[in-house]
Structure formats: structure tokens, C-alpha cells
Amino acid sequence: MDRALAAEARAVLAAARGWLREVHEEGVEATPEIDRTPAVASAPREPQPTADAPVEPVPLLPAAEPAQAGLEATTGEPGATPSLESVREALGECTRCRLSEARTQIVFGDGNPDADLLFVGEGPGAEEDRRGLPFVGRAGELLTSMIEKGLGISRSEVYICNIVKCRPPENRTPLADEAATCRSFLDGQIDAVRPRAIVALGKPATSLLLGRDVAITRIRGNWHEYRGIPLMPTLHPAYVLRQYSPENRRNVWNDLKAALARSRE
Ligand code: URA
């Protein structure tokens, strides 16, 4: 294939990927078969695809059930409250899924270990992968400004993490098995911080935590619960950047205000 044609094909593919991601974010619910393989951190590793082996192209709804065995592995004993340090230690230099192959570093989480408000995003992007911190790229700048200028609190007062701790290639949405494999560590973080309210940022985080495929634009702004903690789904800041409308900004602003108020009750 000549170079111009190859470049054009790449551009068309990139545009198609962006479009797929947007319609998915907007709540299109027809997806291929769901992978419900439970995440068990201590289970023997599945054969991992090599760098050029095909991965499923469409992001899917993760498994509904938390990975209990993996969670126990992070706490030492069943039922014990983990510390963030013990969860991080259990995660180690993780190679449990294919995302470890291309990452620069693990992006575990950031913020106050005793936060009343905890944010769950999707997965690290390029800047996060480079710096080892969640939400420090463009979407992160918007999230930080919504927290600091919008809510009037310092970012360091809240805790921020993602459903997967390694950057998905080309910033694609994490696949079901990747999210399931990382699930026990996210649960461990939530158990360690014990926030009074959780904000789920975007469709993948909300779908994972609620255990079903959600339409984020419909579900946002309504209270749910995760592990006994009030959960507020809202739009992902990357989506707000793409669809920078007064309505989207107002909606997220209202959701965050509600979440902060709930965390202070
Ligand atoms: N950065 C993150 O850390 N998470 C996201 O979901 C997006 C950007």
C-alpha cells in the first residue's frame, strides 16, 4: 500500500474509533457478547496475546461481580480493612493482563487516603502514564479545575483513581477482562479510603461499578450505591471536553456539588 493510502486508512480508522467511543459513551447499548470472566488476582495467568495479536476491538462491559479472592489477597485476611499501601504492595509490578506490556509505569491513585470523596475514572492516558499520576492530562486539568474552582476544595483533599492502573494502548476503553483483572485493586482502594461518596466518571467506570451497561447521559445525576457507599455517576471530563456545551458543564457541576454535599453529611 502506498504511503498516502496508508495514512488515509489510519486517519479513517482513528476517526471511526473516536466515533465508536462517543456513541458508546452516549449510551448505545448494543454491544457484542459480554466477557464475564471473574477477576481473580491469584488465578493462573491466561496465555497473554503478543503485541501484534489482535485484541477485541470494541470495549465491553466488565464482569459484574467483584473479585473476592483478589481482594483478600490485598488485605491479607478475609474481611480485614486494607491500607492503600497494602493494596499497592499486592498490586506489585503487575503483569496480570496485557496492559502491562505497553505501560511506562503503573498509575495507582492520587490524593488523600482519608478522603470523604473518591473519584473513579477509566484508565491512564499518555500524560498519566508518563507521570505516574491519574488525571494530569487535558481531561485531568478539567477535572482538577472542576474540583478546585468549581467545588472550592483542593484536589489533594479527594482521592482519585481509575478502573485500570495501566494505560490502554491509544487510550482505548479498557476491555472487560482488563477491568475485571484490576477490579480487586480498585475495590481495595475504595475499602482503604472508605469515602462517604464516590463519583464515577463516565460510562465505563459507572458500568463497572453498577455491574450493568449504563447510558451515562441518562443515569448521571442520580444516586446509586457501591459497596454500601453512595455513588454519583457523571460525565467523564474527556467527554465534556469533546462536547463542551453549557448543558454538559452545568450537569457535571450539579453532580459534583451533590456528591460533595453528600460526602459532608
Ligand atoms: N486520565 C485518567 O487518569 N483517567 C481517565 O479516565 C482519563 C484521563
Side-chain angles (χ1 to χ4, degrees):
M1 197 186 305
D2 76 23
R3 276 207 193 150
L5 199 57
E8 195 177 331
R10 273 198 302 276
V12 169
L13 265 177
R17 256 195 229 112
W19 177 81
L20 262 178
R21 200 177 158 126
E22 271 176 31
V23 291
H24 198 62
E25 182 79 27
E26 278 157 16
V28 174
E29 283 167 3
T31 60
E33 197 180 328
I34 291 166
D35 175 3
R36 293 188 180 279
T37 311
V40 179
S42 55
R45 282 183 68 196
E46 298 277 321
Q48 300 294 300
T50 58
D52 29 343
V55 268
E56 294 166 69
V58 182
L60 302 175
L61 172 68
E65 292 304 314
Q68 199 54 40
L71 182 63
E72 284 166 13
T74 68
T75 60
E77 52 184 276
T81 302
S83 65
L84 280 175
E85 290 74 22
S86 69
V87 180
R88 180 64 190 87
E89 202 178 308
L91 180 61
E93 272 309 296
C94 184
T95 54
R96 293 171 182 83
C97 86
R98 68 183 77 77
L99 293 185
S100 62
E101 290 167 16
R103 70 163 185 245
T104 305
Q105 56 189 316
I106 289 175
V107 178
F108 183 64
D110 183 36
N112 179 2
D114 292 318
D116 289 335
L117 193 55
L118 180 146
F119 290 80
V120 181
E122 191 175 319
E127 190 61 13
E128 288 81 11
D129 178 66
R130 198 176 68 76
R131 290 175 53 189
L133 289 168
F135 282 99
V136 289
R138 272 189 74 221
E141 279 168 20
L142 179 59
L143 178 65
T144 304
S145 129
M146 290 190 298
I147 293 170
E148 302 210 320
K149 297 201 183 108
L151 296 180
I153 58 174
S154 157
R155 173 179 158 133
S156 60
E157 262 186 59
V158 305
Y159 190 77
I160 304 177
C161 55
N162 284 304
I163 60 180
V164 293
K165 315 300 182 211
C166 300
R167 183 192 181 198
E170 296 168 50
N171 296 346
R172 65 162 168 74
T173 299
L175 300 178
D177 62 322
E178 296 157 356
T181 303
C182 232
R183 178 69 174 270
S184 58
F185 303 103
L186 172 62
D187 285 341
Q189 287 172 299
I190 293 171
D191 287 352
V193 175
R194 284 191 293 169
R196 297 167 72 94
I198 297 173
V199 176
L201 297 164
K203 178 187 174 84
T206 307
S207 295
L208 179 78
L209 297 181
L210 297 185
R212 62 194 162 89
D213 193 21
V214 303
I216 190 66
T217 48
R218 286 203 284 277
I219 200 176
R220 61 136 289 276
N222 296 296
W223 283 107
H224 291 76
E225 211 172 85
Y226 184 66
R227 295 172 90 77
I229 301 166
L231 177 134
M232 171 60 75
T234 195
L235 305 177
H236 193 285
Y239 175 86
V240 177
L241 282 176
R242 284 198 305 273
Q243 312 277 333
Y244 203 68
S245 67
E247 189 193 357
N248 283 342
R249 280 178 283 156
R250 187 172 53 248
N251 283 340
V252 175
W253 164 225
N254 285 334
D255 300 345
L256 296 192
K257 271 194 303 189
L260 179 66
R262 188 75 179 257
S263 77
R264 287 178 166 171
E265 273 172 11

mmCIF file of all heavy atoms in Angstrom, residues 40 50 74 76 92 155:
data_model
loop_
_atom_site.group_PDB
_atom_site.id
_atom_site.type_symbol
_atom_site.label_atom_id
_atom_site.label_comp_id
_atom_site.label_asym_id
_atom_site.label_seq_id
_atom_site.Cartn_x
_atom_site.Cartn_y
_atom_site.Cartn_z
ATOM 1 N N VAL A 40 -9.667 -12.852 39.271
ATOM 2 C CA VAL A 40 -9.099 -13.493 40.454
ATOM 3 C C VAL A 40 -7.605 -13.287 40.378
ATOM 4 O O VAL A 40 -6.926 -13.881 39.558
ATOM 5 C CB VAL A 40 -9.444 -14.995 40.499
ATOM 6 C CG1 VAL A 40 -8.833 -15.638 41.727
ATOM 7 C CG2 VAL A 40 -10.952 -15.196 40.493
ATOM 8 N N THR A 50 0.277 -11.653 22.222
ATOM 9 C CA THR A 50 1.521 -10.948 21.957
ATOM 10 C C THR A 50 1.172 -9.561 21.441
ATOM 11 O O THR A 50 0.010 -9.279 21.154
ATOM 12 C CB THR A 50 2.336 -11.679 20.875
ATOM 13 O OG1 THR A 50 1.513 -11.740 19.729
ATOM 14 C CG2 THR A 50 2.721 -13.065 21.319
ATOM 15 N N THR A 74 -5.276 -8.716 48.711
ATOM 16 C CA THR A 74 -4.738 -7.394 49.004
ATOM 17 C C THR A 74 -4.824 -7.061 50.489
ATOM 18 O O THR A 74 -4.133 -6.177 50.967
ATOM 19 C CB THR A 74 -5.498 -6.279 48.254
ATOM 20 O OG1 THR A 74 -6.815 -6.167 48.777
ATOM 21 C CG2 THR A 74 -5.536 -6.533 46.778
ATOM 22 N N GLY A 76 -4.715 -9.401 53.077
ATOM 23 C CA GLY A 76 -4.061 -10.351 53.959
ATOM 24 C C GLY A 76 -5.048 -11.363 54.500
ATOM 25 O O GLY A 76 -4.860 -12.536 54.386
ATOM 26 N N GLY A 92 1.853 -4.832 43.179
ATOM 27 C CA GLY A 92 3.244 -5.076 42.762
ATOM 28 C C GLY A 92 3.544 -4.489 41.394
ATOM 29 O O GLY A 92 2.923 -3.521 40.967
ATOM 30 N N ARG A 155 -7.530 19.698 45.264
ATOM 31 C CA ARG A 155 -7.513 18.338 44.699
ATOM 32 C C ARG A 155 -6.933 17.342 45.698
ATOM 33 O O ARG A 155 -7.312 16.175 45.728
ATOM 34 C CB ARG A 155 -6.714 18.363 43.386
ATOM 35 C CG ARG A 155 -6.469 16.991 42.792
ATOM 36 C CD ARG A 155 -5.710 17.052 41.487
ATOM 37 N NE ARG A 155 -5.067 15.765 41.257
ATOM 38 C CZ ARG A 155 -5.094 15.081 40.123
ATOM 39 N NH1 ARG A 155 -5.714 15.564 39.071
ATOM 40 N NH2 ARG A 155 -4.482 13.915 40.003
#
